[in-house]
Amino acid sequence: MFEKQSARPACSAICASNAGRENQDRIPIDLVVDGGVALTMVEDQEPVMNSRILVSNGRIVAIGRKRDLTIPNGASYELLDATDCLVMPGLINAHAHTAMTIFRGVSDDLPLKRWLFEKIFPLEKEFLSSDTVYWGALLGCLEMISSGTTCFADGYFLQDQTAMAADAAGLRGIIAQGIIDFPAPGVPDPKENIAVGQRFIQRWKGKSELITPGLFCHSPLTCSEKTMSDAWDLSSEHHLPLQMHLSETREEVEAILSNTKKRPVDYLEGLGLLTDQLVVSHAIHLSHEEIVLLAKRGVGVVHVPESNMKLGSGVANISRMLSCGMDVGLGTDGCSSNNNLDLLCEMDSAAKLSKVFERNPANMKARETLKMATLGGASVLGLKNEIGSLEKGKMADMIVIDLKRPHLWPVYNPFSTVVYSANGSDVRDVIVNGRILMKNRNFMNLDSNEIMCRVREISRRIARFF
Ligand SMILES: [Zn+2]
């Protein structure tokens, strides 16, 4: 599933009113999204006014102006009227720990080391089970659908449960088994961590078209050289991305310097891990030389500005990374350090934080920020030929944002509206793989009441722990 794998051949349909008529009549159109302003995120393409998008068998088979595209005669399809709406690619959350919704709000206002070792690790030891990870992950999926995310990359423990939750929710997931050299939920003996990851990959590879399994090394400080090298070898063997936290705090960088006499990026370079298969999140405390080396090796970076702000970890120099030509995606991190999975709000934070960091309001413009949350994430995760933009032949992962809302009106520049004015609750419809998951803000295949009741029961047990 990594980027080297080319996209499946695009459908040959043209569906234009005066071209490909013979082909077009043979294509079974399942879904038509009509009348919206389409932000395709195709390089340099302007918004398409009064657009029409035709979907067949989970893929976009035509996109253009409504007046230029006809629908095959006699076709039986679902019609989504997107008048007064924006239609755009689904958002890609490139770094999350979805099941941590069960820990939302239990540990605020602490620096990362205390937050992790005094709160999160003990809570995870006590409460993570197949049951809690499943319902926590399903709540996260519900939240992501309700705020316009159609694909997420996740690193955690007991990941069969997260994969099952994503599959049940109909979301696209790059689900990675957590690897750490401590006893962990589901992996009491750390010597077994790679074997557990291997079995997870074997169980899920090819099982669902929505799920890509993989591995997530917690960090170069909590994983040994051998563990990281073995994880990289296993990921490489299966052509899967390897996810990792990197240089999140100054303390972490100093500890690695002290242990290895190398800065973290040089340390990973020495292990041969710096390739376009590696996806690092946070990446805050990097020297200019480290950024240049990451760029040279094609390593993907995921920016998680709100978690970085909340834990007081620092600000990643995203502008420099982008100017070095790096692929950069956007993520929320877990709900215990954010405390939500709303990528529309995350974009607003990302753009404004970058302006503060550079003391330059021209830094991180709206279109560039939206690219990070769509095509950028797709590139980092090796899926840019499949998702991240609205183009013929790509998967039909898209969202509809209702513009007729006081805080979004009027609309001069749709990119500005999405990044600076919108929030997750403005998303009206969500489509993944051509399937509608949310319509008029109604969940089509999940019982939100049951999910929240289940998590309430879990949260009552957690509350008694304090
Ligand atoms: Zn994280």
Side-chain angles (χ1 to χ4, degrees), residues 75-194:
S76 169
Y77 55 85
E78 177 143 17
L79 176 69
L80 272 186
D81 182 355
T83 306
D84 288 331
C85 294
L86 282 180
V87 186
M88 53 178 270
L91 301 172
I92 298 171
N93 188 343
H95 181 68
H97 313 289
T98 307
M100 291 185 90
T101 53
I102 62 172
F103 301 132
R104 192 195 315 264
V106 298
S107 175
D108 294 330
D109 310 325
L110 288 173
L112 182 111
K113 194 171 175 187
R114 287 190 57 203
W115 169 83
L116 197 57
F117 285 88
E118 294 177 20
K119 299 286 184 180
I120 297 302
F121 282 161
L123 281 167
E124 288 179 338
K125 184 171 178 229
E126 187 71 21
F127 292 105
L128 289 196
S129 66
S130 295
D131 183 65
T132 59
V133 170
Y134 180 75
W135 288 106
L138 208 49
L139 177 63
C141 291
L142 192 70
E143 183 184 353
M144 285 192 274
I145 292 169
S146 76
S147 52
T149 290
T150 54
C151 173
F152 69 106
D154 193 89
Y156 211 47
F157 304 105
L158 299 164
Q159 285 291 68
D160 285 291
Q161 307 305 314
T162 302
M164 281 193 282
D167 204 38
L171 278 179
R172 199 176 299 285
I174 291 70
I175 313 294
Q177 169 66 29
I179 304 282
I180 192 166
D181 284 335
F182 303 137
V187 197
D189 179 1
K191 287 196 207 75
E192 289 294 306
N193 54 17
I194 298 294

Side-chain angles (χ1 to χ4, degrees), residues 103-320:
F103 301 132
R104 192 195 315 264
V106 298
S107 175
D108 294 330
D109 310 325
L110 288 173
L112 182 111
K113 194 171 175 187
R114 287 190 57 203
W115 169 83
L116 197 57
F117 285 88
E118 294 177 20
K119 299 286 184 180
I120 297 302
F121 282 161
L123 281 167
E124 288 179 338
K125 184 171 178 229
E126 187 71 21
F127 292 105
L128 289 196
S129 66
S130 295
D131 183 65
T132 59
V133 170
Y134 180 75
W135 288 106
L138 208 49
L139 177 63
C141 291
L142 192 70
E143 183 184 353
M144 285 192 274
I145 292 169
S146 76
S147 52
T149 290
T150 54
C151 173
F152 69 106
D154 193 89
Y156 211 47
F157 304 105
L158 299 164
Q159 285 291 68
D160 285 291
Q161 307 305 314
T162 302
M164 281 193 282
D167 204 38
L171 278 179
R172 199 176 299 285
I174 291 70
I175 313 294
Q177 169 66 29
I179 304 282
I180 192 166
D181 284 335
F182 303 137
V187 197
D189 179 1
K191 287 196 207 75
E192 289 294 306
N193 54 17
I194 298 294
V196 169
Q198 184 169 25
R199 291 196 291 272
F200 172 72
I201 289 172
Q202 282 164 350
R203 278 195 296 279
W204 282 93
K205 202 168 177 197
K207 185 173 180 178
S208 159
E209 62 179 329
L210 292 173
I211 306 299
T212 304
L215 302 178
F216 160 63
C217 281
H218 185 264
S219 82
L221 199 56
T222 52
C223 294
S224 69
E225 287 184 18
K226 180 173 183 337
T227 299
M228 288 190 290
S229 294
D230 288 351
W232 192 91
D233 287 345
L234 185 55
S235 305
S236 184
E237 183 193 327
H238 290 277
H239 308 288
L240 296 167
L242 173 64
Q243 302 178 45
M244 186 183 292
H245 290 141
L246 179 69
S247 298
E248 186 171 357
T249 63
R250 231 181 262 287
E251 220 174 349
E252 176 194 334
V253 173
E254 282 161 11
I256 290 170
L257 257 173
S258 161
N259 294 348
T260 69
K261 310 298 171 219
K262 291 176 181 170
R263 290 188 62 81
V265 171
D266 298 327
Y267 174 47
L268 296 182
E269 167 79 345
L271 300 179
L273 302 192
L274 298 188
T275 68
D276 61 0
Q277 193 180 323
L278 186 65
V279 180
V280 298
S281 50
H282 301 286
I284 299 169
H285 301 280
L286 300 180
S287 66
H288 176 67
E289 289 72 25
E290 286 182 295
I291 290 175
V292 169
L293 184 54
L294 288 176
K296 193 172 164 190
R297 296 282 181 259
V299 174
V301 164
V302 184
H303 186 30
V304 282
E306 291 190 354
S307 175
N308 295 342
M309 285 193 280
K310 185 159 183 283
L311 292 167
S313 300
V315 185
N317 196 338
I318 296 303
S319 302
R320 184 172 293 174

Side-chain angles (χ1 to χ4, degrees), residues 318-338:
I318 296 303
S319 302
R320 184 172 293 174
M321 294 181 201
L322 290 171
S323 69
C324 286
M326 292 184 77
D327 286 331
V328 180
L330 191 68
T332 56
D333 218 352
C335 266
S336 52
S337 64
N338 184 302

Side-chain angles (χ1 to χ4, degrees), residues 137 287 305 312 341 350 422 450:
S287 66
L341 303 172
E450 186 198 6

